[in-house]
Amino acid sequence: MSTRIRAPRTRRYHRLAVMALVTALSLAGAAPGMATTPVNIVHTERVQAGPYGVTVGFSVWPIHAMRSLDFTFMPDGGIVGKSGKLLLNGPGIKSQDHVTPLVRHPRKLDTWGLDVKALNAPGTYSFGFAIDGPLGHGEGTLHGVTVLNRPGPPLALSWTIGSLPFLGLIVVLVVAWRRIQPGHQPPAI
């Protein structure tokens, strides 16, 4: 005859309550991370690309080099039934990034755009548009977008200061390793 010891009901209910609380807190903590942040446009410019007027929006103004921002490109009448290309020119644009297709902004689905894009060098940039739609083909360019120098200390100084904790950790590990000298310890009995 076997006897099983059963946990009291209060213990089972306690475990169930703890599991429910942990699940609720996990979901509550994940909810803000799953939410998309809205694109806050602080400055706009207008471009005429043939028969299409385009509003170019910037989430940060003035623009600084090496700082991420959102760009939105909204043609008059919306993007439905239209396609196009973005032609970027400026000192920090690589040759493979010069011409890119206009695609929906991932957080503002009713516009075309670039999400958290950074322009890597200060100078003067231009944004060109080649749009095809029901009114035909149109091209236009927004000239003279000035990108200022990167704010803050020089990049080499920032990296040097940022790597000091890592270098300190390496020094501590080397000193501890030399004091212990694991290869020279007598075997423990």
Side-chain angles (χ1 to χ4, degrees):
M1 183 166 166
S2 68
T3 58
R4 276 206 240 156
I5 299 176
R6 299 176 81 189
R9 282 188 178 186
T10 56
R11 225 183 229 174
R12 282 188 283 169
Y13 289 129
H14 179 70
R15 287 183 188 157
L16 189 61
V18 168
M19 287 174 40
L21 179 65
V22 167
T23 302
L25 289 176
S26 297
L27 291 176
M34 292 187 293
T36 60
T37 56
V39 178
N40 187 21
I41 301 301
V42 297
H43 181 77
T44 60
E45 296 280 341
R46 289 286 294 169
V47 178
Q48 192 63 37
Y52 308 103
V54 179
T55 302
V56 181
F58 303 90
S59 65
V60 174
W61 194 263
I63 301 171
H64 290 275
M66 301 180 102
R67 304 246 352 238
S68 296
L69 69 149
D70 290 314
F71 297 94
T72 59
F73 313 114
M74 182 63 177
D76 294 343
I79 62 173
V80 176
K82 297 180 182 107
S83 63
K85 293 181 182 176
L86 174 64
L87 313 163
L88 289 172
N89 279 318
I93 304 298
K94 298 176 184 169
S95 60
Q96 67 264 23
D97 295 334
H98 176 67
V99 178
T100 57
L102 286 168
V103 295
R104 287 180 190 254
H105 191 283
R107 292 180 290 130
K108 194 171 174 85
L109 299 176
D110 59 337
T111 65
W112 290 320
L114 301 172
D115 185 31
V116 291
K117 171 82 173 160
L119 300 173
N120 293 326
T124 303
Y125 288 77
S126 65
F127 294 83
F129 302 94
I131 299 175
D132 293 307
L135 301 176
H137 181 77
E139 292 188 10
T141 303
L142 173 62
H143 294 286
V145 177
T146 302
V147 175
L148 305 174
N149 286 327
R150 185 183 74 80
L155 201 54
L157 179 62
S158 298
W159 276 96
T160 302
I161 292 171
S163 63
L164 287 177
F166 178 69
L167 294 174
L169 176 65
I170 290 175
V171 168
V172 166
L173 290 174
V174 167
V175 168
W177 184 265
R178 290 187 58 122
R179 284 189 179 177
I180 294 173
Q181 296 179 357
H184 302 294
Q185 294 286 334
I189 298 178

